Amino acid sequence: MPIIVSVPKETVPGEQRVALVPELVPRLTEAGLEVAVQSGAGELAGFFDDGYAAKGARLEAEVLDKADIILKVQPPTIVEISHMKEDSVLICFLQPYTNATAIRALAARQITAFSMELMPRITRAQPMDALSAMSTVAGYKAVLVAASRLPRFFPLLMTAAGTVTPARVFVIGAGVAGLQAIGTAKRLGAVVEAYDTRPAVKEQVESLGAKFAELGLAAKDAEDKSGYAKAQSEDFYQKQQEMMSKYVASADVVIPTALVPGQRAPILITEEMVRGMRPGSVILDLAAEQGGNCALTEPGREIVRHGVVIIGPMNLPSTIPFQASEMYARTVTNYLAHLLKDGGLHLDLEDELTRGPLVTHRGEVVHEIVKARLCSENSTP
Ligand code: NAD
């Protein structure tokens, strides 16, 4: 019996992406798999049923109950999990640190679930790095959203009606999203400054034509061996806020993107700092999904405080669903290809690429950090 790979329509409100695009269907069928796509699954992203059918997928009204492998973008709901076959395999963004109920339900249903967020940061995993792919989309869109809310131009303009000075953009955190935001803001003609606790980033910021903000702070063990930022002390964050105040105050747009994996985003912009900004300025907090880098950010909302527009977007990648789906689908199919051998699933748990994103397997939560979080939740009174 060939393995059936299913792609359901996403059910989370506002989610427009789809986990597989027609162009990638032959990659799976040529590997000996059958592909079943739920009718309408790609519609919001601009991928229609006939496109999938033309590439060899079956279109079905319901796909979860027959699937051996399920490709999704968002974590499944409890109802969706109840429709999945026992022993099936799920690959998606599982939000592994905040999704205890679904993770327990997946384990109880004996589903082998892989979380794309937990892909190890090793060279071999780069084509499967869904988080970086989505950060690229978010960094780009963040600048467009902020530019459209700003009551000013981004570029320098010399016109007969006078000279327009360029907008000043300050990007905090120059990882994948931050660097994309810097590049996009530069292309729109803004004057861009950026800061990151990882010293290695300075050169990358400058290579994009932006200025690295020298705060004179030395972060302790700025990054771990995988290139992620490490959390700093409260004292460090307080000094960082003080040193950044003048950069924030002189910016028209601030785009904070600073994250520490598995933790709430650090607060880097206080209410006092917001008060110091010019009215009409914009903060687009790309860390909103992890609580926000600005103390006033309300995740999922746009608010105005002290005359400053503060936007806390949730799921920006879904607002560019065509290419975000293409990029996500490539990372997911690359990962699935890694798990396959001779037309069947081959889970080599000695391989860190297989083991790293694995959250539930054979009825257990097997990811050590996720398991520890679930246990500490159980012991919380
Ligand atoms: P991220 O989304 O976890 O964090 C965003 C940025 O915030 C990071 O650059 C981080 O250093 C920064 N940050 C954290 N605390 C900060 C603070 N207090 N002040 C200012 N900045 C702060 O990180 P990311 O963008 O996913 O990746 C970071 C880097 O990892 C990338 O630039 C890249 O070099 C590397 N990377 C490697 C691989 C790989 O090898 N497979 C994959 C992806 C990324």
Side-chain angles (χ1 to χ4, degrees):
M1 287 286 282
I3 290 180
I4 301 176
V5 181
S6 290
V7 182
K9 191 171 166 57
E10 296 296 320
T11 54
V12 166
E15 181 54 70
Q16 305 193 82
R17 291 168 293 176
V18 60
L20 184 69
V21 297
E23 170 207 322
L24 292 169
V25 171
R27 182 141 186 235
L28 303 182
T29 51
E30 281 159 19
L33 312 179
E34 275 184 20
V35 177
V37 176
Q38 185 172 10
S39 202
E43 232 167 66
L44 294 176
F47 299 102
F48 297 95
D49 287 358
D50 48 0
Y52 288 100
K55 293 288 186 182
R58 269 199 325 262
L59 275 301
E60 292 180 0
E62 296 297 333
V63 292
L64 287 178
D65 50 348
K66 288 181 239 73
D68 300 303
I69 300 172
I70 297 151
L71 306 181
K72 263 182 84 18
V73 179
Q74 295 283 348
T77 62
I78 298 298
V79 173
E80 285 168 332
I81 293 170
S82 72
H83 288 290
M84 293 177 188
K85 270 198 321 196
E86 288 206 348
D87 291 324
S88 57
V89 170
L90 168 70
I91 307 176
C92 67
F93 282 129
L94 206 48
Q95 298 169 8
Y97 301 122
T98 52
N99 201 6
T101 316
I103 288 169
R104 287 200 182 94
L106 287 164
R109 208 155 165 81
Q110 310 273 337
I111 290 163
T112 295
F114 291 95
S115 171
M116 291 302 283
E117 293 96 329
L118 297 172
M119 198 59 67
R121 289 198 148 181
I122 51 177
T123 310
R124 258 187 327 138
Q126 277 179 3
M128 307 160 196
D129 185 351
L131 269 189
S132 289
M134 296 304 101
S135 294
T136 300
V137 182
Y140 164 79
K141 188 64 183 271
V143 174
L144 300 192
V145 172
S148 71
R149 292 297 286 112
L150 190 71
R152 304 172 51 105
F153 277 107
F154 258 41
L156 166 78
L157 296 179
M158 288 188 190
T159 77
T163 298
V164 171
T165 54
R168 301 185 74 89
V169 175
F170 183 44
V171 176
I172 306 168
V176 181
L179 290 171
Q180 188 58 234
I182 293 168
T184 307
K186 282 298 294 178
R187 284 193 290 273
L188 283 180
V191 172
V192 185
E193 291 177 306
Y195 173 73
D196 197 297
T197 38
R198 294 181 301 119
V201 166
K202 179 174 189 277
E203 216 173 286
Q204 296 167 21
V205 168
E206 288 171 350
S207 75
L208 290 170
K211 190 174 158 229
F212 190 77
E214 301 285 358
L215 302 187
L217 293 169
K220 198 162 174 282
D221 299 334
E223 64 185 64
D224 65 15
K225 61 180 185 338
S226 353
Y228 277 118
K230 281 198 177 172
Q232 301 295 314
S233 65
E234 275 315 308
D235 188 45
F236 177 91
Y237 289 135
Q238 208 175 329
K239 285 209 183 78
Q240 184 179 351
Q241 291 161 4
E242 282 164 25
M243 304 309 286
M244 278 191 334
S245 286
K246 70 171 196 295
Y247 290 91
V248 170
S250 62
D252 298 297
V253 171
V254 180
I255 302 183
T257 74
L259 295 177
V260 176
Q263 299 190 18
R264 192 212 179 280
I267 300 276
L268 304 174
I269 304 171
T270 60
E271 179 161 10
E272 201 45 44
M273 290 160 82
V274 174
R275 210 177 270 134
M277 293 176 76
R278 277 188 297 275
S281 305
V282 175
I283 296 175
L284 190 134
D285 195 340
L286 260 189
E289 286 181 44
Q290 274 75 41
N293 287 141
C294 173
L296 302 181
T297 296
E298 293 184 17
R301 295 194 57 206
E302 177 178 322
I303 58 173
V304 180
R305 293 286 181 276
H306 310 296
V308 175
V309 177
I310 304 171
I311 308 170
M314 304 292 279
N315 201 0
L316 271 186
S318 172
T319 65
I320 305 190
F322 188 84
Q323 268 118 2
S325 298
E326 285 187 333
M327 293 164 93
Y328 178 70
R330 273 182 217 126
T331 65
V332 165
T333 45
N334 286 336
Y335 190 57
L336 180 54
H338 162 77
L339 300 176
L340 293 173
K341 202 172 175 186
D342 305 325
L345 270 173
H346 170 76
L347 302 190
D348 173 8
L349 298 184
E350 297 299 310
D351 181 355
E352 65 171 317
L353 202 45
T354 305
R355 200 181 57 243
L358 184 60
V359 175
T360 59
H361 188 46
R362 297 201 169 128
E364 307 270 344
V365 178
V366 293
H367 191 278
E368 289 309 325
I369 304 173
V370 175
K371 192 155 72 181
R373 292 274 173 108
L374 293 182
C375 291
S376 68
E377 243 178 57
N378 280 347
S379 57
T380 313

